[in-house]
Amino acid sequence: MALIAPSLLAADFLKLQAECEMVNNSAADWLHLDVMDGMFVPNISFGPMVIEFVRKIVNKPCDVHLMIEQPARYAEQFKNAGADHLTIHIEACPMLHQDITQIKSLGMKAGVAVNPHTPVSLLSDILHEVSIVNLMSVNPGFGGQKFITYTLEKIRQLKQMIRERNLDVLIEIDGGVTVENAKEIIDAGADVLVAGSTVFRASDPIAAVEKLKAL
Ligand code: DX5
Ligand code: ZN
């Protein structure tokens, strides 16, 4: 059974409290929060201030995905806002080891995210330092995009790297996850499924989470 992390990006922001309560009442394991700066990705979403409010209501781990340039500048602010996991992009971090070390020293679980074109082999020398690898299965920036099927191959490659070295690292798949394709993503070796539209745009979001959990 995979962990399910609804992504707040697809929520109705006029009803943020109700959306957070829905997540609390569902079988979701984490809440996924997508931060975008309009530089690393073309879109701008929300920052630590919104997360601080959300954190007051949500009673599940907050999985913060930073799609921003020089993310380490903000690590402490996201910790103070209540992030439990902080994931940064390999493409945004020339000093990735230093940034991951900083996140961990602030008391958060560290994650590294890779864009669809970035080979998982590039994770080889950081894998033992992180708790989560976020494999982007769409180009980051927007919800509601189509799952890139080559991600399945990347999941299998990464799973093998993790197994060979007996590491405790979760593979998180982010983008285009649906009730229809979730099973083959899990079968390929995914541990965590991020689901934005599939949960928040469903007529019954709680049932959508349940369907994903049941696979
Ligand atoms: C995309 C974000 C995703 C997004 C997923 O840049 O990182 O977390 O919210 O949305 P869906 O599930 O709708 O593809
Ligand atoms: Zn995300």
Side-chain angles (χ1 to χ4, degrees), residues 5 16 19 26 49 57 60 68 76 81 89 99 105 111 113-114 118 120 139 143 145 164-165 181 185 192 196 200 208:
L16 215 41
E19 299 280 51
S26 77
M49 191 191 82
I57 314 173
K60 311 208 169 180
I68 67 175
E76 200 169 342
H89 270 262
D99 298 344
S105 69
V114 297
T118 302
V120 293
N139 285 287
Q145 303 182 73
E164 271 169 5
R165 291 162 61 184
N181 66 15
I185 298 171
V192 186
F200 285 102

Coordinates of all heavy atoms in Angstrom, one line a residue, residues 5 16 19 26 49 57 60 68 76 81 89 99 105 111 113-114 118 120 139 143 145 164-165 181 185 192 196 200 208:
A5 N -0.4 11.4 -0.7 CA -0.2 12.8 -0.4 C -0.9 13.8 -1.3 O -0.4 14.2 -2.3 CB 1.3 13.1 -0.4
L16 N -10.1 27.0 2.1 CA -8.8 26.3 2.5 C -9.0 25.5 3.8 O -8.5 24.4 3.9 CB -7.7 27.4 2.7 CG -6.3 27.0 2.3 CD1 -6.2 26.1 1.1 CD2 -5.4 28.2 2.2
E19 N -10.9 22.4 3.0 CA -10.1 21.5 2.2 C -9.1 20.7 3.2 O -8.8 19.5 3.0 CB -9.3 22.2 1.1 CG -10.2 22.9 0.1 CD -10.7 22.0 -1.0 OE1 -11.3 20.9 -0.6 OE2 -10.6 22.3 -2.2
S26 N -9.7 12.2 5.8 CA -9.4 11.2 4.8 C -8.4 10.2 5.2 O -7.7 10.4 6.3 CB -9.0 11.8 3.5 OG -7.7 12.2 3.5
M49 N 3.9 31.7 4.5 CA 2.8 32.3 5.3 C 1.6 31.5 5.2 O 0.9 31.2 6.2 CB 2.6 33.8 4.7 CG 1.6 34.5 5.6 SD 1.0 36.0 4.8 CE -0.3 35.4 3.8
I57 N -4.2 23.7 11.1 CA -5.4 22.8 11.0 C -5.0 21.4 10.7 O -5.6 20.5 11.2 CB -6.3 23.3 9.9 CG1 -6.6 24.8 10.0 CG2 -7.7 22.6 10.0 CD1 -7.4 25.3 8.8
K60 N -1.6 16.0 9.8 CA -0.8 15.0 9.1 C 0.6 15.7 8.7 O 0.6 16.9 8.6 CB -1.5 14.5 7.9 CG -2.9 14.1 8.2 CD -3.4 13.0 7.3 CE -4.8 12.6 7.9 NZ -5.5 11.6 7.2
I68 N 11.8 26.3 -6.2 CA 12.3 27.7 -6.2 C 13.8 27.6 -6.4 O 14.5 26.6 -6.1 CB 11.9 28.4 -4.9 CG1 12.6 27.8 -3.7 CG2 10.4 28.3 -4.7 CD1 12.4 28.5 -2.3
E76 N 14.9 27.7 6.8 CA 14.5 28.0 8.2 C 13.1 28.6 8.3 O 12.3 28.2 9.2 CB 15.5 29.0 8.8 CG 15.5 29.0 10.3 CD 16.6 29.8 10.9 OE1 17.6 30.1 10.3 OE2 16.4 30.2 12.1
A81 N 7.4 27.6 9.6 CA 6.0 27.6 9.2 C 5.4 26.2 9.5 O 4.2 26.1 9.3 CB 6.0 27.9 7.7
H89 N 15.1 20.8 -5.3 CA 15.4 20.2 -6.6 C 16.9 20.2 -6.9 O 17.6 21.1 -6.6 CB 14.8 21.1 -7.7 CG 13.4 20.6 -8.1 ND1 13.2 19.7 -9.2 CD2 12.2 20.7 -7.5 CE1 11.9 19.4 -9.2 NE2 11.3 20.0 -8.2
D99 N 23.0 21.9 1.3 CA 21.6 22.3 1.5 C 20.8 21.2 2.2 O 20.0 21.4 3.1 CB 20.9 22.6 0.1 CG 21.6 23.8 -0.5 OD1 22.4 24.5 0.1 OD2 21.4 24.0 -1.8
S105 N 19.6 19.5 9.7 CA 20.1 20.1 11.0 C 19.0 21.0 11.6 O 18.9 21.2 12.8 CB 21.4 20.8 10.8 OG 21.2 22.0 10.0
G111 N 14.3 15.9 1.4 CA 14.0 15.2 0.1 C 14.7 15.9 -1.0 O 15.0 17.1 -1.0
A113 N 14.3 16.4 -5.3 CA 13.4 16.2 -6.4 C 14.2 16.3 -7.7 O 15.2 17.0 -7.8 CB 12.3 17.3 -6.4
V114 N 13.7 15.5 -8.7 CA 14.4 15.5 -10.0 C 13.3 15.7 -11.1 O 12.3 15.1 -11.1 CB 15.2 14.2 -10.3 CG1 16.4 14.1 -9.3 CG2 14.4 13.0 -10.3
T118 N 16.1 14.6 -15.8 CA 17.2 14.4 -15.0 C 17.4 12.9 -14.7 O 16.5 12.3 -14.1 CB 17.2 15.2 -13.7 OG1 17.0 16.6 -14.0 CG2 18.4 15.0 -12.8
V120 N 18.2 9.4 -12.9 CA 18.3 9.0 -11.4 C 19.7 8.7 -11.1 O 20.0 8.8 -9.9 CB 17.3 7.9 -11.1 CG1 15.8 8.3 -11.2 CG2 17.6 6.6 -11.9
N139 N 6.5 18.0 -16.0 CA 7.4 19.1 -15.8 C 6.8 20.0 -14.8 O 5.7 20.4 -14.8 CB 7.7 19.9 -17.1 CG 8.6 19.1 -18.0 OD1 9.8 19.0 -17.8 ND2 8.1 18.4 -19.0
G143 N -0.4 21.9 -11.9 CA -1.2 20.7 -11.7 C -1.9 20.3 -12.9 O -2.0 21.1 -13.9
Q145 N -1.5 18.0 -15.3 CA -0.8 17.6 -16.5 C -0.8 16.1 -16.6 O -1.1 15.4 -15.7 CB 0.7 18.1 -16.5 CG 0.9 19.6 -16.3 CD 2.3 19.9 -16.4 OE1 3.0 19.9 -17.4 NE2 2.9 20.3 -15.2
E164 N 19.9 -2.1 -3.7 CA 21.3 -2.6 -3.7 C 22.1 -2.1 -2.5 O 23.0 -2.8 -2.0 CB 22.0 -2.1 -5.0 CG 21.8 -3.1 -6.2 CD 22.3 -2.4 -7.5 OE1 22.8 -1.3 -7.5 OE2 22.1 -3.1 -8.5
R165 N 21.7 -0.9 -2.1 CA 22.5 -0.3 -1.0 C 21.8 -0.3 0.3 O 22.2 0.2 1.3 CB 22.8 1.2 -1.4 CG 23.9 1.2 -2.5 CD 23.9 2.5 -3.2 NE 24.3 3.6 -2.4 CZ 24.4 4.9 -2.7 NH1 24.0 5.2 -3.9 NH2 24.7 5.8 -1.9
N181 N -3.9 5.1 -13.4 CA -2.5 4.7 -13.6 C -1.8 4.4 -12.3 O -0.6 4.0 -12.3 CB -1.8 5.8 -14.4 CG -1.6 7.1 -13.7 OD1 -1.8 7.2 -12.5 ND2 -1.3 8.2 -14.4
I185 N 2.1 2.5 -11.2 CA 3.2 3.3 -10.6 C 3.6 2.6 -9.3 O 4.8 2.5 -9.0 CB 2.6 4.7 -10.3 CG1 2.2 5.4 -11.6 CG2 3.6 5.5 -9.6 CD1 1.5 6.7 -11.5
V192 N 5.2 6.6 -2.4 CA 4.3 7.8 -2.1 C 3.8 8.3 -3.4 O 4.5 8.5 -4.3 CB 5.1 8.9 -1.4 CG1 4.1 10.0 -0.9 CG2 6.0 8.4 -0.2
G196 N -2.9 15.7 -6.9 CA -3.6 17.0 -6.8 C -5.0 17.0 -7.3 O -6.0 16.8 -6.6
F200 N -8.5 16.6 -5.1 CA -9.2 17.9 -4.8 C -10.3 18.2 -5.9 O -11.3 18.9 -5.6 CB -8.3 19.0 -4.6 CG -7.6 19.0 -3.3 CD1 -6.3 18.6 -3.2 CD2 -8.3 19.4 -2.2 CE1 -5.6 18.5 -2.0 CE2 -7.6 19.3 -0.9 CZ -6.3 18.9 -0.8
A208 N -11.9 9.4 -3.3 CA -10.7 9.3 -4.3 C -9.5 8.9 -3.5 O -8.7 8.0 -4.0 CB -10.5 10.7 -4.9

